[in-house]
Amino acid sequence: MALQCGIVGLPNVGKSTLFNCISSGKAQSANFPFCTIEPNIGSTIVPDERLQVLEKLVKPQRVVPATVEIVDIAGLVKGASKGEGLGNQFLGNIRETDAILHVLRCFDDPNIVHVDGSVNPVRDKEIIDTELQIKDLDTVESRISKVHKQAQTGGDKNAKRMYEILVKIKDALVQGKSARTVIFDNAEDAKMAKELFLLTNKPVMYVCNVDEASAKSGNKYVEMVKEAIKDEDAQLLVVAAKIESEIAELESFEEREMFLSELGLDSSGVSRLIRSAYALLNLETYFTAGVQEVRAWTFVKGIKAPQSAGIIHTDFEKGFIRAEVIKYDDYVKYGSEAACKEAGKMAVEGKEYVVQDGDIMHFRFNV
């Protein structure tokens, strides 16, 4: 499932360092703007302790985890919406992603140049927000002129509705607000707004890149960001990219755990970031478990059993008959598929079953 999170931010905020930590890709990292020009794409494993538990119970020949794609997009600058720097190319790369990880510099270091001369994450956030909003405003105004004519001359009810949605979004953009801040009266309007694929309507997570001392509890810069985004439908995560790069170089799991323990951290920032990115994309996991393979399958939250079967193979969806479902907690409690079945914990579900995170599934189909 090729859903992608794009990492964005001003130059020299730690984007590529973070990308190198979480991805199998190797983005260049250097102390000057436009170090990253082409977007780097890396696929990374989604940490999930449930896989390890299932592996111990089932003892399969192999284990296949879920993955998520991360795109490292070159640093934006003021004026990008008008083509400054490599703006148009960068904005095009952002448009192709499904969600945004916005990295903000929240640390002081005189040895790392800031493109605007001083550390101020709220200002940095607003620079990128403004560039994305300007681009969205161009898109919305273009659509308004077309839809307005249709609404006036054709009596098209959908055109009239779309016109009202566009005007509402335009009002927000003109005020310097992102499209995601607009609240609609009903789900259908919200759906139509989402289908405009505006840059500022994408799900966003602000990643505060801090120094080692602030890795656990944050700092004054993180508090500034929290205050700035309090009215946004957005998430916030604190990560120390420099520490994460040191963790990534350690060979063993034990060494990494010891390093984290010394810092007073329960898990690495990268692990938290990947899991959060997965959730940001509205993704969940179901499992298949057998002696040949225990595997995590990625699905978009809310899909039904036939569509989830189609993720494995299109024939599974075409010929779907039923799904045999065991809840993860029941599987762990009883220890095997056979024991769950004997205890009456295997449910037989039809085409209308909405798949839940952690379901262990077996599909019956006929083609």
Side-chain angles (χ1 to χ4, degrees), residues 98 162 165 169 184 187-198 201-203 280-282:
D98 302 283
M162 178 55 79
I165 290 168
I169 293 172
F184 293 97
E188 185 59 31
D189 284 0
K191 183 173 181 288
M192 290 175 72
K194 196 169 185 178
E195 288 170 355
L196 293 168
F197 300 107
L198 298 174
N201 208 24
K202 292 179 184 290
L280 191 66
L281 291 167
N282 205 28

Side-chain angles (χ1 to χ4, degrees), residues 14-295:
K15 293 187 301 84
S16 296
T17 300
L18 203 54
F19 176 82
N20 284 338
C21 295
I22 64 179
S23 171
S24 56
K26 292 295 178 184
Q28 185 185 5
S29 180
N31 187 21
F32 55 89
F34 308 120
C35 170
T36 307
I37 297 175
E38 293 300 324
N40 295 278
I41 301 175
S43 182
T44 190
I45 290 169
V46 179
D48 195 328
E49 293 175 357
R50 295 173 298 184
L51 268 180
Q52 298 165 15
V53 175
L54 290 173
E55 181 180 14
K56 289 178 182 176
L57 292 173
V58 180
K59 298 178 175 60
Q61 294 174 18
R62 64 174 183 165
V63 176
V64 183
T67 60
V68 64
E69 286 193 351
I70 306 292
V71 185
D72 179 30
I73 296 169
L76 283 164
V77 293
K78 192 180 292 185
S81 59
K82 303 301 180 185
E84 290 295 322
L86 298 172
N88 290 328
Q89 183 180 338
F90 299 168
L91 292 167
N93 292 334
I94 294 170
R95 195 177 298 281
E96 291 171 7
T97 64
D98 302 283
I100 295 172
L101 305 177
H102 187 161
V103 182
L104 297 168
R105 178 171 169 173
C106 293
F107 64 89
D108 293 306
D109 187 338
N111 297 316
I112 299 179
V113 178
H114 191 289
V115 72
D116 280 327
S118 62
V119 177
N120 185 332
V122 174
R123 177 203 59 209
D124 296 351
K125 169 193 175 302
E126 289 173 350
I127 287 171
I128 288 187
D129 282 352
T130 299
E131 297 307 320
L132 301 183
Q133 289 162 8
I134 290 170
K135 201 69 177 176
D136 277 351
L137 189 57
D138 288 344
T139 301
V140 167
E141 287 179 336
S142 175
R143 288 293 302 273
I144 282 176
S145 62
K146 293 177 183 176
V147 173
H148 193 206
K149 291 176 183 176
Q150 294 172 356
Q152 284 183 321
T153 60
D156 187 333
K157 288 184 179 179
N158 278 337
K160 185 175 184 297
R161 190 173 189 175
M162 178 55 79
Y163 174 75
E164 291 170 354
I165 290 168
L166 288 164
V167 168
K168 199 169 185 178
I169 293 172
K170 180 184 175 180
D171 289 344
L173 293 169
V174 168
Q175 294 174 51
K177 298 177 182 178
S178 295
R180 76 179 70 87
T181 65
V182 179
I183 298 171
F184 293 97
D185 297 330
N186 57 72
E188 185 59 31
D189 284 0
K191 183 173 181 288
M192 290 175 72
K194 196 169 185 178
E195 288 170 355
L196 293 168
F197 300 107
L198 298 174
L199 298 172
T200 64
N201 208 24
K202 292 179 184 290
V204 64
M205 179 190 301
Y206 293 100
V207 182
C208 294
N209 184 16
V210 300
D211 54 32
E212 181 177 327
S214 308
K216 186 175 182 180
S217 55
N219 57 28
K220 64 179 181 180
Y221 295 126
V222 175
E223 294 306 312
M224 287 167 61
V225 176
K226 285 181 181 177
E227 178 64 23
I229 69 169
K230 65 182 181 182
D231 296 326
E232 280 192 48
D233 181 17
Q235 301 178 35
L236 181 144
L237 192 70
V238 177
V239 173
K242 188 176 180 182
I243 291 176
E244 298 301 323
S245 65
E246 293 173 9
I247 293 172
E249 290 175 2
L250 297 174
E251 293 294 330
S252 69
F253 174 77
E254 289 75 17
E255 286 179 305
R256 292 192 289 271
E257 288 292 296
M258 189 179 299
F259 188 80
L260 288 167
S261 179
E262 289 173 359
L263 294 171
L265 300 173
D266 296 326
S267 62
S268 74
V270 163
S271 293
R272 288 183 285 112
L273 179 59
I274 296 167
R275 284 194 291 265
S276 298
Y278 197 70
L280 191 66
L281 291 167
N282 205 28
L283 301 178
E284 293 184 331
T285 303
Y286 75 81
F287 302 99
T288 51
V291 291
Q292 288 188 328
E293 178 183 270
V294 166
R295 183 165 184 153

